[in-house]
Amino acid sequence: YKCHACKKTFNALHDTPLFRMHRKDRWLSNCQAMIEGHSIRKTAANIGVSNSCAFRMRHKNLTHSHAHEDHKLGGIVEMDEGFFLYSQKGQRHLNRKARHRGGSASRRGTSRELISIVTCTDRSHHELDFIGGFGPVKSMYLNFELHSIIEADTILVTDMARSFYAFAKKEGITHIRLNSSKKEYTKGAMHIQHVNSYQSHFKSWLRHFRGVATKYLEHYLGWFHELFTKKVKNPESFLAISLHK
């Protein structure tokens, strides 16, 4: 297309993640490989492109993978955080000594070598997750991410993390805390088993990629959300997410 006013040209993919991406004939094949959870090398071999091209196609597809996550949670909402070792996989210049095969943190506990991921889910199977920074998540992250998402009449169920308590108090939300150190896993119908199950599935799914760079972790969160909630049923629906503006 051409603008009659400024004379600039553009196409239907302008301002989408797929703008200036080549090999359009391989896009659907790439989406199918992502639905099946193939590695970069296997995807490249199957669809007939280089590893670097398969890598770019994957992350272009995942640019807006968080766009279809739920933006309202209500009723009984379970919330928990999981931790992943900070990874600079793929970078040539590290600010620390290289780790082999993933490695482990140099300190015990939830130090700043770990990245926290907060996951929220309600009993209507709505789900949301986000990266909460280094170490234990701070209440300011929760306030920023969840202020307009969790409804006021919600019953929030969490573990004993202080940031969850501070967030619920600030928002005026009914809060039920479970103390697992005292083997308190339920209070009547209140538990965090659904959110724990979601996190467990995500960690198991992520493991077969043999490590993910932290800077791409949000892409993988969105990717898994689309697969787990079955919002992506075919390559066409996956491609539609990539074209979201």
Side-chain angles (χ1 to χ4, degrees):
Y1 305 98
K2 185 176 182 179
C3 175
H4 291 291
C6 67
K7 308 303 180 183
K8 289 185 177 180
T9 59
F10 58 96
N11 60 35
L13 295 176
H14 187 79
D15 201 27
T16 72
L18 297 180
F19 183 54
R20 291 180 175 169
M21 276 293 291
H22 302 291
R23 308 304 297 268
K24 295 180 179 62
D25 58 318
R26 310 297 170 90
W27 286 357
L28 288 178
S29 300
N30 175 66
C31 289
Q32 181 61 43
M34 293 180 67
I35 291 174
E36 296 173 7
H38 292 170
S39 66
I40 289 290
R41 291 179 183 276
K42 186 173 182 179
T43 299
N46 287 349
I47 69 176
V49 297
S50 66
N51 290 343
S52 60
C53 181
F55 179 86
R56 288 195 301 273
M57 293 173 84
R58 167 176 293 183
H59 288 285
K60 286 286 188 179
N61 275 45
L62 295 174
T63 301
H64 289 303
S65 58
H66 262 56
H68 287 195
E69 286 196 0
D70 297 297
H71 297 290
K72 282 293 181 182
L73 301 174
I76 299 174
V77 176
E78 303 172 23
M79 183 160 61
D80 198 12
E81 62 180 327
F83 296 95
F84 294 82
L85 193 61
Y86 178 72
S87 172
Q88 294 176 291
K89 180 180 179 181
Q91 296 185 32
R92 296 187 179 183
H93 305 288
L94 306 182
N95 55 18
R96 53 164 174 78
K97 187 178 179 180
R99 294 193 298 257
H100 298 283
R101 296 293 181 185
S104 58
S106 61
R107 302 182 225 171
R108 297 181 64 184
T110 52
S111 69
R112 290 184 60 81
E113 294 180 61
L114 302 176
I115 296 292
S116 66
I117 292 179
V118 180
T119 305
C120 308
T121 182
D122 63 20
R123 300 295 170 86
S124 298
H125 306 293
H126 300 137
E127 186 276 335
L128 174 72
D129 46 30
F130 58 90
I131 295 175
F134 291 94
V137 65
K138 308 295 189 298
S139 59
M140 66 176 184
Y141 276 97
L142 301 177
N143 295 332
F144 177 78
E145 295 283 352
L146 302 174
H147 173 68
S148 60
I149 292 178
I150 295 184
E151 298 174 353
D153 58 350
T154 291
I155 299 175
L156 182 65
V157 189
T158 71
D159 59 17
M160 298 296 290
R162 293 180 181 180
S163 56
F164 296 157
Y165 172 77
F167 165 75
K169 184 177 180 180
K170 185 178 185 301
E171 295 293 320
I173 297 172
T174 302
H175 186 202
I176 295 176
R177 306 171 78 192
L178 302 175
N179 193 342
S180 59
S181 64
K182 294 183 179 180
K183 298 185 178 181
E184 184 181 53
Y185 303 113
T186 63
K187 284 186 179 179
M190 305 301 170
H191 57 76
I192 55 174
Q193 294 171 10
H194 292 125
V195 71
N196 285 341
S197 175
Y198 185 93
Q199 289 180 333
S200 177
H201 279 90
F202 175 66
K203 289 180 179 179
S204 297
W205 174 80
L206 197 67
R207 198 171 294 123
H208 80 272
F209 292 106
R210 300 183 184 277
V212 170
T214 297
K215 66 178 181 180
Y216 296 122
L217 187 55
E218 189 173 39
H219 285 181
Y220 285 82
L221 286 171
W223 181 4
F224 178 75
H225 176 269
E226 299 296 341
L227 298 178
F228 188 84
T229 57
K230 296 183 173 57
K231 291 183 179 178
V232 171
K233 296 182 172 61
N234 51 54
E236 289 79 8
S237 59
F238 212 140
L239 187 62
I241 295 172
S242 306
L243 294 171
H244 179 84
K245 295 186 179 182

